Amino acid sequence: MWKLSWIKSGSQPESGSNDSSDDSDLDQPMSMEYTGPSAGTPPAVTIEKAPGNGVTIYQGGTSAYTPTSPLSLSQPSSMRSFIKLTHSQASSCPSNRGPPGSAHMPASPARNGIKRKDSIVSSTGRPVDIKSIVPADGKLDFLTYLPYEIAMVIVIHADFPAIATISQVSRSWNRFSRDNAVWRRLFLQQRDWRTPRALATAYGNSRKLKRGRGDSGNGSHVNLCYSPASALSPATSGMNTPRVGDDPLVAPDIATPLTNRILSAYSGSSLRPAIHLQHMVAPSPTLSMTGGFVGQQQQSRAVAPDWRYLFQQRTELDRHWSAGIADVHILTGHADSVYCVQYDYDKIVTGSRDRTVKVWDCSSFQCLRTMAGHDASVLCLKYDESVLVTGSSDATVIVWDWETGMPRLRLVSHAAGVLDVAFNDEHVVSCSKDCTIKVWRRSDGKLLRTMAGHRGPVNAVQLHDNRIVSASGDSLIKMWDLKTGELIRTFTGHTRGLACVQFDGKTIVSGSSDQLIKVWDAETGQCTQTMRGHKDLVRTLHFAGGNRAVSGSYDQTIKVWDISTGECTLDLKDVHTSWVFDVQFSASKIISTSQDQKIVIWDFAKGLDVGDVS
């Protein structure tokens, strides 16, 4: 078994001295090494106390110590918490002429300046009798007796099940498991989790929305509570039967229980109501928010979120998604079918058959602005911080200015209705019922190129980096080069026309009139998953990376999918009373639009303190 030794390098002990209670000898260069028998692999770590109260960790080799990636600790008092342990037998004293565990063992501890000690100094600074901490079976709770900084270097790499186990071992281990740096790492490791906006605001990274004046027609909303066990009864609105021909999209055919128990034990109280800034804590005494070591002066200025609390709330939010626990808000205000929607932290933007675009407040659900400019139905929209781009049955694309709410550019070239749009900093891409895809220059609206390759209406288009992905009523998905307009790849597999497609750069998700949702590898063109569950045309999809996708269908339902397994994890029904035209989702919400003129908000953060998570 390896033993810890405290070495005073290059110095001889006073004759007959075995006093170890005085820390004055720490002013000299010292190191803590593992020592052991001559056979076996020597340890890899040496911790050296350098002059000036600095501590450096070196990576050891098998034959010589090589300084590698030194990690300095600037805490003046940190050395007092290190274990200082030596063995009184000369045969177990390390030699400074070679690595620990080598055959070069000194005959006498005096040759290497070893101070004999029969006790260790714990993290509290008090001497502890070695015999009192080493059980008869020789097993030692090493984590408790390591300096807190070193112990945390080990604990911070544990995953959630391991942290849950550590928390139940002992009081001291529970302290490690509750360290803020541990929970920050666990939170940020979750692929689909993002930091709530309130925290970004606290750090000065919030984005302010430029809103227009309130609309004279404010619309209205209904607040409901949804659960699968007691679904809402359809309202008698006279719109239960879809109007044939109302959808301008051409008919596509042309030819965890343990986790919850552990987290509930951490909460200590009932769920608290949006993220508040009081859920900010001082960092660990020796760990920064990133898990690294910081000095006292830096620590005094550092403020960190309570990551364990955020982790608990986000885990509960995932449970709400799994169980279908949500508040439902229904917005009304459009005079006809609502075809498209996009939203962010502050606003919801919708386009309708009534030829208008409406902007709604996410908190009050009031209509802030109505924008009119198209001569026919607004079929699609996308926006960023500066512009809104819409496509219409009038065969035009309008680029709107958010500041004024007025059209900045009108793009005219398509011969039929514009069914979808996408854009980036330089280009606007549109697709149409005329079977073409067009690329425009965003700055001045100049038409750069037209791609013709589909044999049916191009119902959906996506843009990522320099690649365009299109879905058509000819049952094909095509990938194009944005710069050249050349066809890169064709994806075949659907048996009927496609209505929607999503693309995140690596994965393509498509929905079709064959009632199927397929997941594709964008690089190989292979179909990796087929998901079944809808009973009619899959009209809309939203997928933004991760494993979650949400779909809406003419069967009047909205379904949540795990694309890694193909499982439908949630089925939302009996709220929309007609075809579902569009759906968007974030970490806490789903928003859907329909022929029934409703904008439905499903808020899964009911009763949780998760703020405006994206």
Side-chain angles (χ1 to χ4, degrees), residues 83-310:
I83 299 174
K84 294 174 286 184
L85 174 64
T86 60
H87 198 282
S88 58
Q89 297 181 8
S91 60
S92 59
C93 295
S95 169
N96 58 7
R97 294 179 298 170
S102 67
H104 302 284
M105 290 303 206
S108 170
R111 292 181 55 190
N112 294 279
I114 303 298
K115 287 199 170 190
R116 298 192 180 189
K117 300 184 179 183
D118 297 320
S119 64
I120 64 172
V121 178
S122 70
S123 59
T124 62
R126 299 178 180 177
V128 179
D129 187 354
I130 298 175
K131 295 180 180 180
S132 67
I133 65 169
V134 179
D137 58 6
K139 296 180 180 179
L140 176 66
D141 180 2
F142 70 95
L143 202 61
T144 299
Y145 289 97
L146 281 176
Y148 190 84
E149 303 94 327
I150 305 303
M152 285 308 304
V153 170
I154 299 171
V155 175
I156 201 172
H157 293 287
D159 58 12
F160 175 72
I163 292 297
T165 301
I166 288 172
S167 69
Q168 302 176 68
V169 172
S170 65
R171 290 184 179 180
S172 59
W173 283 44
N174 181 269
R175 178 192 175 201
F176 297 132
S177 74
R178 298 173 70 90
D179 191 282
N180 205 36
V182 171
W183 291 95
R184 178 187 186 275
R185 184 181 180 92
L186 290 176
F187 187 100
L188 298 180
Q189 281 178 341
Q190 305 303 311
R191 182 180 179 186
D192 296 329
W193 289 10
R194 296 180 184 178
T195 305
R197 190 192 186 200
L199 299 182
T201 302
Y203 286 99
N205 296 323
S206 63
R207 297 177 177 178
K208 295 182 179 180
L209 168 66
K210 297 178 180 178
R211 296 174 177 166
R213 295 180 179 178
D215 189 358
S216 58
N218 287 331
S220 62
H221 88 278
V222 180
N223 187 3
L224 304 170
C225 182
Y226 179 87
S227 69
S230 57
L232 299 171
S233 299
T236 56
S237 61
M239 300 199 63
N240 295 341
T241 303
R243 298 195 302 265
V244 177
D246 190 51
D247 187 358
L249 185 150
V250 176
D253 294 308
I254 65 165
T256 293
L258 173 62
T259 299
N260 293 334
R261 288 200 302 270
I262 294 169
L263 288 174
S264 64
Y266 274 120
S267 63
S269 63
S270 59
L271 295 177
R272 288 163 278 188
I275 286 289
H276 300 296
L277 296 186
Q278 62 261 33
H279 298 301
M280 312 287 283
V281 297
S284 306
T286 53
L287 291 174
S288 71
M289 289 183 290
T290 59
F293 296 100
V294 296
Q296 288 279 26
Q297 186 175 3
Q298 181 179 350
Q299 289 177 30
S300 64
R301 298 192 303 267
V303 178
D306 186 343
W307 291 102
R308 183 168 60 87
Y309 175 75
L310 296 181

